[in-house]
Short mmCIF file of all heavy atoms in Angstrom, two decimals:
data_model
loop_
_atom_site.label_atom_id
_atom_site.label_comp_id
_atom_site.label_asym_id
_atom_site.label_seq_id
_atom_site.Cartn_x
_atom_site.Cartn_y
_atom_site.Cartn_z
N LEU A 11 9.91 14.72 1.91
CA LEU A 11 10.43 15.76 1.02
C LEU A 11 10.89 16.96 1.83
O LEU A 11 10.30 17.30 2.86
CB LEU A 11 9.35 16.19 0.03
CG LEU A 11 8.88 15.14 -0.96
CD1 LEU A 11 7.63 15.62 -1.69
CD2 LEU A 11 9.99 14.80 -1.95
N ILE A 16 8.95 20.64 -1.63
CA ILE A 16 7.50 20.81 -1.60
C ILE A 16 7.12 22.13 -2.26
O ILE A 16 6.18 22.19 -3.06
CB ILE A 16 6.96 20.72 -0.17
CG1 ILE A 16 7.13 19.28 0.34
CG2 ILE A 16 5.50 21.15 -0.09
CD1 ILE A 16 6.81 19.08 1.80
N GLY A 26 2.32 19.26 -13.38
CA GLY A 26 3.74 19.09 -13.64
C GLY A 26 4.22 19.89 -14.83
O GLY A 26 3.71 20.94 -15.08
N PRO A 27 5.16 19.43 -15.55
CA PRO A 27 5.89 18.16 -15.46
C PRO A 27 6.97 18.21 -14.39
O PRO A 27 7.46 19.27 -14.04
CB PRO A 27 6.50 18.00 -16.84
CG PRO A 27 6.76 19.41 -17.30
CD PRO A 27 5.62 20.22 -16.71
N ILE A 36 11.55 12.57 -4.97
CA ILE A 36 10.45 11.66 -4.64
C ILE A 36 11.00 10.24 -4.43
O ILE A 36 10.59 9.55 -3.49
CB ILE A 36 9.37 11.70 -5.73
CG1 ILE A 36 8.71 13.08 -5.73
CG2 ILE A 36 8.33 10.61 -5.52
CD1 ILE A 36 7.85 13.36 -6.95
N GLY A 42 14.66 5.34 -1.77
CA GLY A 42 15.88 5.15 -2.53
C GLY A 42 15.65 5.20 -4.02
O GLY A 42 14.52 5.40 -4.48
N GLY A 53 2.81 11.48 -17.97
CA GLY A 53 1.80 12.43 -18.40
C GLY A 53 1.57 12.30 -19.89
O GLY A 53 2.09 11.39 -20.55
N PRO A 63 6.52 13.26 -20.25
CA PRO A 63 6.96 13.79 -18.96
C PRO A 63 6.35 12.99 -17.80
O PRO A 63 5.34 12.30 -17.96
CB PRO A 63 6.39 15.21 -18.96
CG PRO A 63 5.14 15.08 -19.79
CD PRO A 63 5.48 14.08 -20.87
N ASP A 68 -2.58 11.13 -8.87
CA ASP A 68 -3.71 11.89 -8.34
C ASP A 68 -3.72 11.99 -6.82
O ASP A 68 -3.95 13.06 -6.27
CB ASP A 68 -5.04 11.29 -8.80
CG ASP A 68 -5.32 11.53 -10.27
OD1 ASP A 68 -4.59 12.32 -10.91
OD2 ASP A 68 -6.27 10.92 -10.79
#
Side-chain angles (χ1 to χ4, degrees):
L11 295 169
I16 292 173
I36 294 167
D68 288 350

